């Protein structure tokens, strides 16, 4: 699974151009896996979402007894009713409300007890909306409190069909009820007052279920008879909710012209296109032959619904009124709010109460994002009103763990003109769109993981501060001192005289050094503890003064950045030599007494001697970069130092 940095910087002022293929639709991917588990035989799917949410559902169906094999976007599921049983361990749904609600419907039809858990954010999302109908069908769904919060315990078994009208528009509730209805006696009818995404009905029909759909005013009535399912063979189309980020970005960034290919084009998912058109954006939807299935013999894959290419160009936007029914899942509200912030005037999003119980209190989070990027937002009852300022400004924002807030913030940054924004809590984008940053770059946008350079003498607090800072920012950490120490250890271990500059340099060039996180290794030997010995501490300054050693290690440090994108890097020359372009440079100091106290494992004269050699050597002596911020850590808490450095980003 691709890891995304916890902190991302995004630059603006660059037109976006070209095309990307949206990642496999998340909603369809969940459903293909669940219906695959129920289908009698081998389901095959291509183009599955590569996000963590779907990975959790994949593990869930395996835990239930289906045999699942995944190879990138291709997956086979050997399913069938007789294979499925409640697992003996809780199923972890991660961050995914869809995963949990749909799974609850499926396991309601299995005799026995299944426990469904999730992460912190999922654990505060209401499950009463599925507990009620599933209870009416004969299952027992319990969680904590009146709103039935996860973990959920589902006691399944004999179910009977019901007629259900969900009080809030929800494809998840509809789908949970229909999945349970597959194994109920009698018909199950869901009457939805507003049309929500139709993937479950579409895929049930493709799997041979006895399902019928009838329009009823603004809504729809779905009727299902208990059915045995055939395996599915599908190519999952692109995710319109993810495509929306690039479509809005193209509308907002001057000079842009972007096409997102092979996007699922069912009407309930493209409401955002209508909204953008009303705002004056030239967005076109051209039906597409769909994603190409592979030529594997017997694949016989068909697309899981209508597919289109969506193209968008930059245009000045005007405000509009957005009704909840236009985009029933409300998934596109964060990015449409960014579009509204860039228009001049007030855009009202009507009926947004459901946003309060998404991956975050998304209503508050959207309002905060709009405010941060230079417009004004106000929550008026259940409405969100965005007073657009006509232009966006760069900002430092935090996603609060909500992937759509993080991606909407990135779009705002692309549109904010020259300069750069910082997005904290960006890592959660991996739940739905691990390729987001790659696609941003493919369209010509600039986004990067920041480098924070932490330099300073021994005992100034570099290690403690950089460790805590890396944790706080969700970034990797590189301790370059450990690399010099590992070379010093190897020289001592191999009987190479530290004064033998060529001999030590040969080690620095040839040895395999793993600087962590985790154990520090040189040529496979774990030296995590050994490199902190007094002997190594005495030797390392001479090793670090060797220009050939420095050249070899600096090259490796730059390669580390090329591999990781960025991170918190500590050492003596990071801001001056290794990464003179670091996003933030910090030079830590502390009083001599405090430094000696912190280095109580090393004799005070040894620390002083090491400082003297480090500061007076010819090759890259310890020095504060002109643009490094001086930070005296004497008597300060780690938290306060970390907060201060974070604020400089
Ligand atoms: O940070 P530390 O004490 O573990 O570093 C060990 C030695 O390595 C220290 O004497 C200075 C040297 N060093 C260096 O010269 N350049 C770096 N980037 C990191 C450490």
């Amino acid at each position: 699974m691709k890891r995304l940095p916890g902190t991302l910087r995004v630059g603006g002022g660059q037109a976006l151009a070209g095309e990307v293929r949206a990642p496999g639709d998340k909603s369809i991917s969940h459903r293909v896996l669940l219906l695959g588990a129920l289908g009698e035989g081998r389901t095959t799917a291509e183009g599955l979402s590569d996000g963590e949410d779907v990975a959790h559902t994949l593990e869930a169906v395996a835990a239930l007894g289906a045999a699942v094999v995944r190879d990138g976007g291709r997956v086979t599921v050997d399913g069938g009713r007789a294979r499925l049983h409640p697992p003996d361990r809780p199923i972890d749904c991660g961050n995914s409300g869809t995963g949990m609600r749909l799974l609850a419907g499926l396991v309601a039809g299995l005799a026995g007890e299944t426990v469904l858990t999730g992460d912190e954010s999922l654990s505060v999302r209401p499950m009463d909306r599925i507990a009620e109908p599933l209870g009416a069908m004969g299952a027992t769904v319990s969680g904590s409190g009146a709103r039935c919060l996860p973990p959920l315990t589902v006691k399944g078994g004999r179910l009977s069909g019901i007629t259900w009208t969900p009080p809030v528009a929800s494809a998840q509730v509809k789908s949970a009820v229909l999945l349970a209805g597959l194994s109920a006696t009698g018909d199950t009818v869901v009457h939805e007052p507003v049309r929500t995404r139709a993937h479950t009905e579409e895929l049930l029909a493709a799997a041979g279920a006895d399902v019928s759909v009838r329009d009823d005013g603004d809504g729809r009535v779905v009727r299902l008879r208990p059915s045995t399912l055939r395996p599915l063979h599908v190519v999952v189309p692109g995710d319109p909710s993810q495509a929306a980020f690039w479509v809005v970005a193209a509308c907002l960034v001057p000079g842009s012209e972007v096409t997102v290919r092979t996007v699922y084009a069912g009407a309930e998912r493209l409401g955002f296109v209508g909204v953008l058109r009303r705002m004056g954006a030239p967005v076109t939807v051209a039906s597409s032959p769909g994603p190409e299935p592979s030529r594997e013999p017997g694949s016989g894959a068909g697309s899981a619904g209508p597919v289109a290419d969506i193209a968008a160009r930059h245009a000045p936007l005007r405000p509009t009124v957005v009704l909840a029914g236009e985009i029933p899942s409300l998934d596109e509200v964060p990015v449409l709010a960014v579009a509204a912030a860039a228009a001049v005037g007030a855009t009202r999003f009507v009926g947004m109460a459901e946003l309060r119980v998404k991956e975050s209190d998304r209503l508050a989070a959207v309002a905060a994002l709009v405010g941060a990027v230079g417009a004004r937002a106000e929550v008026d009852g259940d409405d969100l009103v965005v007073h657009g300022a006509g232009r966006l400004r760069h900002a430092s924002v935090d996603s609060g763990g909500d992937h759509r807030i993080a991606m909407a913030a990135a779009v705002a940054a692309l549109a904010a003109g020259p300069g750069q924004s910082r997005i904290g809590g960006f890592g959660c984008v991996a739940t739905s769109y691990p390729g987001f940053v790659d696609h941003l770059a493919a369209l010509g946008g600039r986004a990067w993981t920041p480098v924070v350079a932490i330099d300073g003498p021994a005992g100034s607090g570099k290690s403690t501060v950089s460790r805590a800072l890396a944790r706080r920012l969700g970034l990797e950490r590189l301790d370059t001192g450990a690399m010099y120490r590992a070379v010093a250890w190897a020289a001592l271990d191999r009987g190479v005289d530290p004064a033998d500059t060529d001999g030590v340099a040969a080690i620095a060039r040839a040895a395999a050094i793993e600087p962590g996180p985790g154990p520090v290794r040189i040529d496979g030997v774990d030296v995590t503890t050994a490199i902190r010995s007094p002997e190594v501490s005495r030797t390392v300054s001479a090793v670090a003064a060797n220009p050939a050693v420095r050249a070899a290690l600096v090259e490796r440090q730059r390669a580390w950045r090329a591999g990781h994108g960025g991170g918190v890097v500590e050492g003596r020359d990071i801001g001056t030599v290794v990464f003179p372009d670091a996003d933030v440079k910090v030079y830590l100091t502390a009083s001599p007494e405090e430094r000696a106290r912190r280095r109580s494992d090393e004799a005070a004269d040894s620390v002083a001697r090491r400082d003297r050699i480090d500061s007076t050597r010819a090759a890259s002596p310890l020095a504060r970069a002109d643009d490094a911020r001086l930070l005296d850590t004497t008597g300060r808490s780690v938290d306060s130092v970390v907060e201060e450095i974070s604020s400089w980003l």
Side-chain angles (χ1 to χ4, degrees):
M1 188 75 46
K2 188 176 174 130
R3 260 178 60 95
L4 287 167
T7 298
L8 189 75
R9 295 209 137 206
V10 180
Q14 220 101 28
L16 304 176
E19 52 180 68
V20 289
R21 212 168 134 158
D25 187 76
K26 191 156 73 104
S27 293
I28 296 175
S29 297
H30 283 298
R31 287 157 172 88
V32 166
L33 291 170
L34 295 173
L35 296 188
L38 288 164
E40 305 295 329
R42 173 168 293 183
T43 283
T44 59
E46 294 178 34
L48 210 71
S49 159
D50 56 354
E52 286 165 4
D53 281 4
V54 168
H56 280 287
T57 296
L58 190 142
E59 279 176 26
V61 300
L64 290 170
V68 191
V69 178
R70 179 170 198 165
D71 177 10
R74 276 184 62 85
V75 65
T76 62
V77 183
D78 286 304
R81 268 206 178 274
R83 305 177 71 115
L84 304 185
H85 53 77
D88 45 19
R89 279 177 296 116
I91 291 179
D92 178 8
C93 303
N95 188 246
S96 177
T98 304
M100 181 171 284
R101 293 186 177 125
L102 271 57
L103 274 161
L106 190 157
V107 301
L110 304 180
E113 191 173 294
T114 303
V115 178
L116 303 171
T117 65
D119 68 8
E120 219 178 297
S121 130
L122 184 52
S123 300
V124 293
R125 297 182 67 181
M127 295 294 149
D128 50 346
R129 56 187 62 185
I130 52 157
E132 247 188 275
L134 295 177
M137 296 177 84
T140 313
V141 181
S142 44
S144 78
R147 302 228 59 188
C148 192
L149 304 182
L152 278 192
T153 303
V154 184
K155 286 196 190 105
R158 269 178 220 287
L159 303 180
S160 23
I162 52 166
T163 295
W164 194 255
T165 304
V168 284
S170 167
Q172 294 172 356
V173 174
K174 169 176 66 177
S175 303
V177 172
L178 291 174
L179 284 166
L182 282 171
S183 41
T185 52
D187 290 8
T188 294
V189 180
V190 180
H191 187 166
E192 48 178 15
V194 174
R195 289 172 201 190
T196 64
R197 52 190 64 180
H199 307 307
T200 303
E201 304 89 285
E202 287 174 357
L203 290 168
L204 278 170
D210 188 349
V211 64
S212 65
V213 181
R214 169 169 72 74
D215 288 342
D216 181 37
D218 286 343
R220 226 165 2 200
V221 180
V222 185
R223 173 180 295 273
L224 174 74
R225 299 218 154 79
S227 303
T228 300
L229 301 186
R230 294 193 297 261
L232 289 163
H233 301 287
V234 290
V235 181
V236 178
D239 196 320
S241 308
Q242 313 293 35
F245 293 104
W246 307 125
V247 173
V248 171
C251 296
L252 296 186
V253 184
S256 295
E257 193 151 2
V258 166
T259 302
V260 190
R261 297 236 176 260
T262 62
V263 178
Y264 174 84
E268 309 79 22
R269 299 290 303 276
L270 290 190
F272 72 93
V273 172
V275 173
L276 288 169
R277 283 180 180 154
R278 282 205 304 280
M279 297 179 84
V283 182
T284 59
V285 179
S287 82
S288 139
E292 280 275 299
S294 71
R295 302 256 173 258
E296 296 251 325
S299 125
S303 176
V307 176
D309 295 336
I310 306 181
R313 268 184 297 116
H314 168 255
L317 299 185
R318 49 178 180 265
T320 187
V321 175
V322 183
L323 302 177
E326 292 184 86
I327 33 173
S329 68
L330 307 184
D331 283 348
E332 294 80 26
V333 172
V335 78
L336 288 174
V338 169
V344 181
T347 292
R348 181 174 284 266
F349 295 81
V350 181
M352 297 289 125
E354 267 300 290
L355 281 181
R356 294 199 172 94
V357 289
K358 295 282 185 181
E359 282 85 333
S360 63
D361 176 351
R362 203 174 261 168
L363 190 55
V366 171
L369 173 61
V370 164
V373 301
R376 194 162 62 77
E378 115 201 47
V379 177
D380 177 16
D382 287 342
D383 295 359
L384 172 74
V385 186
V386 176
H387 299 272
R391 52 195 302 268
L392 303 177
R393 64 162 187 243
H394 283 289
S396 175
V397 295
D398 196 278
S399 76
D402 187 327
H403 57 130
R404 294 197 200 280
I405 297 295
M407 292 186 278
V411 169
L414 292 170
Q420 51 189 251
S421 293
R422 171 195 159 266
I423 306 167
F426 192 81
C428 61
V429 168
T431 58
S432 70
Y433 200 165
F436 183 85
V437 176
D438 294 339
H439 282 177
L440 188 155
L443 293 174
R446 288 187 310 122
W448 66 100
T449 313
V451 170
V452 183
I454 310 273
D455 290 344
S460 59
K462 289 190 304 300
S463 298
T464 311
V465 167
S466 62
R467 213 174 267 126
L469 187 67
R471 208 175 311 118
R472 162 86 163 70
L473 299 176
L475 297 178
E476 310 261 357
R477 162 178 172 262
L478 177 64
D479 172 6
T480 60
M483 299 172 81
Y484 288 96
R485 285 173 179 272
V487 172
W489 176 88
L492 291 168
D493 182 64
R494 295 169 195 184
V496 176
D497 184 346
D500 171 5
T501 49
D502 291 343
V504 180
I507 297 175
R509 275 192 291 264
I513 303 174
E514 300 168 46
V520 179
R521 292 200 177 88
I522 183 159
D523 283 335
V525 183
D526 184 340
V527 293
T528 315
T529 318
I531 58 170
R532 306 289 161 196
S533 73
E535 211 186 352
V536 170
S537 293
R538 265 195 308 276
T539 312
V540 66
S541 293
V543 168
N546 178 335
V549 169
R550 300 203 72 79
L553 295 190
V554 167
E555 192 182 314
R556 284 157 182 258
Q557 289 151 16
R558 291 186 179 144
W560 181 92
R561 179 198 192 169
H564 289 76
V568 178
V569 186
E570 65 167 285
R572 301 293 192 289
D573 58 345
I574 308 307
T576 48
V577 176
V578 187
F579 303 127
D581 63 338
D583 295 78
V584 172
K585 299 180 188 177
V586 185
Y587 190 89
L588 295 183
T589 58
S591 68
E593 300 74 35
E594 176 105 2
R595 296 203 288 120
R597 195 178 55 71
R598 288 178 187 160
R599 281 300 167 113
S600 54
D601 58 330
E602 194 178 345
D605 59 336
S606 161
V607 176
R609 182 178 151 274
R610 207 143 64 83
D611 279 353
R612 200 169 51 248
I613 301 178
D614 291 347
S615 312
T616 55
R617 69 190 177 209
S620 313
L622 166 67
R624 177 181 162 200
D626 292 340
D627 50 352
R629 299 188 192 233
L630 184 68
L631 209 164
D632 189 337
T633 62
T634 312
R636 288 190 56 174
S637 75
V638 178
D639 278 354
S640 81
V641 171
V642 164
E643 269 320 302
E644 184 160 0
I645 299 174
S646 303
S647 77
W648 294 338
L649 258 178

